[in-house]
Amino acid sequence: MQDPIRVVVADDHPVILFGAEQALLKFQGIRVVARARQSTELVKILQTTPCDVLVTDLAMPGGQYGDGLPLIGYLRRNFPDLPIVVLTMLENAALLKRLSELGVISVVNKSDDLSHIGLAVQHVSRHIEYMSPSVKSALDTLRMNTGGKNDEVILSKRELEVVRLFVSGMTIKEISEQLNRSIKTISTQKNTAMRKLGLERDSELFQYAQSNGLMNLSSYAPGAADTGTGPTEER
């Protein structure tokens, strides 16, 4: 008899954590071996508990190792052989592309039926890609919009600068005053950045920034290294 697939589930919402575990219990051959509510707890579990697949929420603040893309990057570097199924409510093109670049081959949208979590676990345990229906639809739309190209998203340093200040809570007018640029220039740079990232609404920009670790401005300084959004170009 084949050994069960050992799964660790991480989510900061108890209802989602419970729902994911219950969904996995319906699959023979899958066993939940541990649960985590934030990154500190998750990393400790992964260091001490043998598992075959990690199912983790993307937005899971409060832990020592952060959340969003920075956490996924940390997990990929420190547990490179562990397949990851990412749970998220977000499905914008830039986010899905960054997850793929980090080596994540499975994303499940929480709005899809929770049975897709078990299907995802079965697939990634065999190193096969699995995307839930709404995620697959978003990826198909992205491919159609880009003509099948997979060019890396590039933000200029000035665009990234504007995005970081905007998601920190500053208005376009305040950013223009701080950076000594016209309101029209700041607005254009923000809109250009959103277009490059495949985002249409400010709320999506905030969600993307949170998942990308851009909400933490402690390491920000004009001209600093631009992590999480691909290389930058000068303008």
Side-chain angles (χ1 to χ4, degrees):
M1 185 176 178
Q2 190 173 7
D3 292 335
I5 303 170
R6 300 164 298 182
V7 179
V8 171
V9 183
D11 198 295
D12 63 326
H13 292 93
V15 173
I16 299 295
L17 194 62
F18 178 79
E21 182 173 1
Q22 292 303 304
L24 290 171
L25 288 175
K26 295 179 181 179
F27 285 78
Q28 289 187 349
I30 294 178
R31 181 162 62 94
V32 176
V33 295
R35 302 146 207 82
R37 294 281 300 277
Q38 34 86 338
S39 63
T40 306
E41 187 178 10
L42 172 58
V43 171
K44 184 177 180 180
I45 288 171
L46 294 180
Q47 290 171 338
T48 59
T49 305
C51 73
D52 303 304
V53 176
L54 167 63
V55 175
T56 182
D57 186 11
L58 188 62
M60 196 168 52
Q64 176 183 349
Y65 302 94
D67 69 338
L69 294 176
L71 173 60
I72 299 300
Y74 176 88
L75 294 173
R76 293 294 299 148
R77 289 191 303 273
N78 289 273
F79 306 94
D81 298 325
L82 178 64
I84 299 175
V85 176
V86 168
L87 300 179
T88 181
M89 288 297 292
L90 309 179
E91 53 186 43
N92 70 68
L95 175 63
L96 295 176
K97 189 171 185 303
R98 286 293 293 129
L99 286 171
S100 176
E101 289 167 354
L102 288 170
V104 173
I105 63 172
S106 180
V107 181
V108 174
N109 193 301
K110 293 181 182 180
S111 65
D112 289 327
D113 192 286
L114 291 180
S115 64
H116 289 285
I117 300 175
L119 294 172
V121 167
Q122 290 178 331
H123 278 72
V124 301
S125 68
R126 302 193 301 271
H127 305 287
I128 301 172
E129 178 183 290
Y130 186 90
M131 303 292 169
S132 68
S134 62
V135 175
K136 187 176 185 300
S137 176
L139 287 171
D140 289 342
T141 300
L142 171 62
R143 293 187 185 104
M144 286 189 292
N145 290 342
T146 59
K149 296 179 181 179
N150 194 32
D151 295 330
E152 189 168 5
V153 175
I154 299 175
L155 296 186
S156 72
K157 288 184 178 180
R158 291 190 174 188
E159 289 164 355
L160 186 58
E161 188 177 43
V162 169
V163 168
R164 280 174 160 157
L165 292 174
F166 183 76
V167 299
S168 76
M170 295 179 68
T171 65
I172 296 296
K173 183 174 184 294
E174 290 170 339
I175 297 171
S176 72
E177 291 172 351
Q178 175 161 326
L179 300 180
N180 196 26
R181 300 176 205 156
S182 70
I183 291 177
K184 181 179 179 180
T185 296
I186 296 300
S187 181
T188 298
Q189 289 169 340
K190 170 180 169 286
N191 291 336
T192 300
M194 291 180 66
R195 187 177 68 251
K196 287 182 178 180
L197 295 170
L199 309 177
E200 296 180 355
R201 295 179 291 275
D202 286 349
S203 60
E204 293 178 330
L205 184 59
F206 279 98
Q207 291 174 331
Y208 176 78
Q210 182 181 37
S211 297
N212 238 328
L214 299 181
M215 300 294 275
N216 179 8
L217 302 182
S218 60
S219 61
Y220 171 70
D226 303 312
T227 58
T229 56
T232 60
E233 60 184 5
E234 291 288 0
R235 279 196 174 175

